[in-house]
Amino acid sequence: MTDTGPSASRLLRPPEPYQFGGSLRSLAMGAHDPCARFVGDTFWWATRTPDGPGTLALRRVGGDLVADCYGPGGGWVADRADAVAGLRDDLTGFDRLAAGHPLVARLANLHRGLRLPATGQIFPRLLRAVLEQKVTGKEAFRAYSATVRRFGVPAPGPLPRLWAPPEPKVIASQPYWVFHPFGVEQRRAETLRRAAVEADRLERCADSAEATRRLTAIAGIGPWTAAEVVRVAFGDPDAVSVGDYHIPNTVAWALAGEARGDDARMLDLLEPFRGHRARVCVLLEAGGHHAPRFGPRMPIRSFARF
């Protein structure tokens, strides 16, 4: 952390309407994410850039967004602040698709200010996604937070306890057992290390399709992890998280009134929205739509395969 002023600033003009909190919430792993969180009326996001650590502070001023950027990577972050805020999100054709289902049409209108962020960075989101595989949300957060704090660095800027994520080469150089105290077993630790070795090639991917191919070629990374990554790194509105425990049930219940659904049924129901299938899932979540629960209350789990 430094107490110097911003190294770069931008004035951004979001569309009307624009949902500030809803659009940015997906960038943080809960309220206490070490790399991204809301503090008051400002969203803070720290990352690594080719120029070094950089921090973005986004806040609303009237109808505009002010982006203050800190650190040696501040200029790099400032140039991409509009994408991080979701202002490059392209909704072309979605209204026509949404009109085909009354619930989706209603949600699209109700949350028409919701935008998908695009960070332009793969490894920071991949780090989190690998640690989310097959564990409870609490276990995933513990592993993610401990890994960032152990191997990352304090983020530039005035906000205390904000961290820039680890460099891939630092993660790649660790033996798998270093991650055991964080609750990360050998399988996920080895997947994370393999991904870190490939990080430079992954960051050079031109688009979501290329990134998905390269991600799923790494042992331990499947369609769920790849979709979670490219939806945030590229703002991909069609990246469906196949393999999730909850999403197929949510889609089946919301779109067809069926309490349970598998991946095949989910994809069948989402097919009319191809090109924006992930956007539909985001809207269902924003609208608070969940399949009914049966049996005793269980802890919330992601239960993603990989």
Side-chain angles (χ1 to χ4, degrees), residues 103 107 246-255 258-260 281-293 300:
L103 175 61
L107 291 174
H246 295 289
I247 296 176
N249 295 334
T250 296
V251 170
W253 177 249
L255 300 188
E258 300 166 3
R260 292 293 179 264
C281 295
V282 169
L283 287 172
L284 294 177
E285 180 181 6
H289 291 272
H290 304 286
R293 293 185 177 184
I300 295 176

Side-chain angles (χ1 to χ4, degrees), residues 66-109:
V66 174
D68 290 326
C69 305
Y70 300 83
W76 189 96
V77 171
D79 290 342
R80 293 157 179 80
D82 62 330
V84 175
L87 304 189
R88 299 184 193 179
D89 186 15
D90 184 3
L91 281 78
T92 301
F94 181 60
D95 284 346
R96 177 180 57 79
L97 298 179
H101 191 287
L103 175 61
V104 177
R106 181 172 65 81
L107 291 174
N109 181 63

Side-chain angles (χ1 to χ4, degrees), residues 201-225:
R201 292 179 65 242
L202 292 171
E203 298 294 357
R204 292 196 296 269
C205 290
D207 54 31
S208 179
E210 181 185 0
T212 298
R213 288 194 299 271
R214 290 194 175 186
L215 283 165
T216 53
I218 299 171
I221 295 179
W224 182 89
T225 303

Side-chain angles (χ1 to χ4, degrees), residues 129-220:
V130 169
L131 296 176
E132 287 177 306
Q133 293 176 351
K134 295 187 176 181
V135 295
T136 67
K138 183 177 180 180
E139 291 166 334
F141 179 80
R142 175 196 170 199
Y144 172 67
S145 180
T147 300
V148 167
R149 295 175 190 277
R150 173 65 178 83
F151 300 113
V153 298
L159 186 67
R161 296 183 295 279
L162 186 70
W163 293 77
E167 292 188 68
K169 65 182 180 182
V170 174
I171 298 297
S173 68
Q174 306 303 317
Y176 73 84
W177 47 262
V178 168
F179 299 92
H180 285 184
F182 310 154
V184 182
E185 79 293 344
Q186 183 175 353
R187 184 193 64 80
R188 281 185 299 155
E190 293 287 16
T191 298
L192 188 57
R193 293 172 67 245
R194 284 191 293 268
V197 169
E198 297 294 324
D200 286 345
R201 292 179 65 242
L202 292 171
E203 298 294 357
R204 292 196 296 269
C205 290
D207 54 31
S208 179
E210 181 185 0
T212 298
R213 288 194 299 271
R214 290 194 175 186
L215 283 165
T216 53
I218 299 171

Side-chain angles (χ1 to χ4, degrees), residues 32-101:
H32 304 289
D33 190 314
C35 301
R37 60 182 177 270
F38 286 93
V39 178
D41 61 354
T42 302
F43 180 74
W44 295 84
W45 178 71
T47 192
R48 295 273 189 177
T49 81
D51 302 320
T55 298
L56 170 65
L58 274 173
R59 68 185 192 279
R60 293 212 74 156
V61 178
D64 297 327
L65 286 177
V66 174
D68 290 326
C69 305
Y70 300 83
W76 189 96
V77 171
D79 290 342
R80 293 157 179 80
D82 62 330
V84 175
L87 304 189
R88 299 184 193 179
D89 186 15
D90 184 3
L91 281 78
T92 301
F94 181 60
D95 284 346
R96 177 180 57 79
L97 298 179
H101 191 287

